[in-house]
């Protein structure tokens, strides 16, 4: 059993980094399985090339794949749980889609970036285990998913400061995911869907039972600030919110 790592650039417009605990004769197969699964799901969720998502939006709906249905169902659940602070069409607000039997009716240009990257990271880690890895950590553009025994230390940077500054917080991640929303790498870019204007804040990091959940809840924490902590608790998640007065951990 050994530890192995690989990194690819230009995956979903970002990077893909994978760390494995695996027998040496299975590591290469596991890396290949992760990359294939990530590429496959890019064809489901990408907004930037032809995908199932772009077809559903263009056609106003259709029969979603199991993967798309799973993510849309959680998007609806999070929208309700956060009072609209998380939204699957944040630039438009209102009702974005509805399920009609086995089909979905799309009412606004969907933007699932707030969930899809975490979901794809989760599925990549699962693919590594199916291919023979004992444990896998998948970092897809900063969204982390981990599967298998053991734990990994996740270091959280401050929203401002030099790249070589020491971390300000450490999470121990067993099985689950970690995601961060903030201004450090992209500047102010998150909308408050309830108001239709930019949400002001610094940074929000969430540790949750999956990267899918962490991805969506990090957006909600950034928008709602401390008001989101009861929501995180309901999803068995923990958060770290950076405020002008300093970091606040909860719940």
């Amino acid at each position: 059993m050994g530890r192995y790592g690989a990194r690819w650039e230009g995956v979903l417009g970002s990077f893909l980094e994978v760390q494995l605990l695996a027998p040496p004769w299975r590591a290469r197969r596991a890396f290949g399985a992760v990359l294939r699964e990530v590429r496959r799901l890019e064809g489901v969720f990408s907004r930037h090339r032809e995908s199932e998502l772009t077809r559903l939006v263009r056609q106003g709906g259709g029969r979603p794949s199991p993967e798309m249905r799973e993510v849309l169902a959680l998007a609806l659940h999070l929208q309700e749980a956060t009072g609209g602070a998380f939204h699957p069409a944040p630039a438009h607000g209102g009702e974005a889609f509805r399920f009609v039997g086995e089909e979905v009716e799309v009412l606004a240009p969907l933007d699932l970036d707030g969930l899809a990257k975490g979901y794809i990271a989760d599925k990549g880690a699962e693919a590594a285990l199916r291919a023979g890895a004992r444990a896998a950590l998948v970092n897809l553009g900063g969204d982390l998913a981990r599967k298998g025994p053991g734990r990994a230390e996740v270091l959280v940077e401050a929203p401002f400061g030099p790249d070589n500054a020491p971390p300000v917080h450490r999470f121990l991640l067993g099985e689950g995911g970690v995601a961060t929303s903030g201004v450090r790498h992209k500047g102010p870019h998150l909308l408050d869907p309830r108001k239709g204007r930019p949400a002001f804040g610094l940074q929000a990091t969430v540790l949750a039972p999956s990267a899918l959940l962490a991805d969506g809840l990090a957006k909600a924490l950034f928008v709602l600030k401390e008001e989101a902590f009861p929501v995180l608790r309901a999803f068995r998640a923990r958060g770290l919110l950076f405020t002008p007065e300093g970091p606040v951990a909860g719940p």
Side-chain angles (χ1 to χ4, degrees):
M1 196 71 64
R3 297 186 180 277
Y4 305 91
R7 181 181 173 104
W8 296 267
E9 299 292 339
V11 179
L12 273 77
S14 187
F15 67 88
L16 170 65
E17 187 173 76
V18 180
Q19 298 178 30
L20 300 176
L21 177 65
W25 60 90
R26 291 180 177 168
R28 182 186 295 270
R29 184 173 67 179
F31 282 129
V34 174
L35 190 58
R36 285 192 298 274
E37 182 70 348
V38 170
R39 293 296 193 192
R40 181 183 76 85
L41 291 172
E42 185 178 14
V44 175
F45 294 107
S46 177
R47 288 192 302 123
H48 307 292
R49 66 176 181 85
E50 182 71 9
S51 68
E52 179 183 346
L53 177 63
T54 61
R55 289 191 295 274
L56 286 174
V57 171
R58 185 172 63 245
Q59 297 167 5
R63 183 181 291 263
S65 65
E67 295 89 349
M68 179 64 73
R69 177 172 283 272
E70 183 178 358
V71 171
L72 287 176
L74 181 64
L76 197 60
H77 187 27
L78 284 175
Q79 183 181 355
E80 294 170 351
T82 63
F86 175 89
H87 199 284
H92 294 268
E95 187 180 14
F97 67 91
R98 61 171 70 108
F99 289 113
V100 183
E102 295 298 314
E103 297 197 344
V104 61
E105 183 181 358
V106 178
L107 306 171
L110 298 177
D111 178 353
L112 298 179
D113 291 357
L115 289 177
K117 205 164 59 163
Y119 181 79
I120 294 171
D122 285 329
K123 295 302 181 181
E126 291 173 9
L129 268 59
R130 289 196 301 270
R134 180 165 173 76
L137 178 68
V138 174
N139 181 350
L140 183 53
D143 287 359
L144 275 65
R146 190 183 182 282
K147 303 289 183 183
R151 294 188 295 179
E153 186 178 54
V154 179
L155 306 179
V156 180
E157 301 174 316
F160 297 110
D163 290 340
N164 61 352
V168 295
H169 193 81
R170 289 174 169 84
F171 284 112
L172 286 178
L173 176 63
E175 285 201 314
V178 175
T180 295
S181 292
V183 300
R184 181 177 179 90
H185 297 291
K186 294 183 179 180
H189 68 285
L190 290 173
L191 289 176
D192 183 340
R194 304 166 304 170
K195 302 174 181 177
R197 56 177 184 262
F200 295 101
L202 297 176
Q203 184 169 290
T205 297
V206 170
L207 184 151
S210 68
L212 169 64
L213 264 177
D215 207 358
L217 289 172
K219 276 74 176 177
L221 179 57
F222 187 92
V223 172
L224 291 175
K225 310 300 187 285
E226 290 93 333
E227 294 178 22
F229 285 142
V231 178
L232 267 61
R233 187 181 303 114
F235 284 97
R236 296 185 294 116
R238 292 187 287 140
L240 182 69
L241 177 68
F242 283 86
T243 72
E245 292 74 35
V248 179

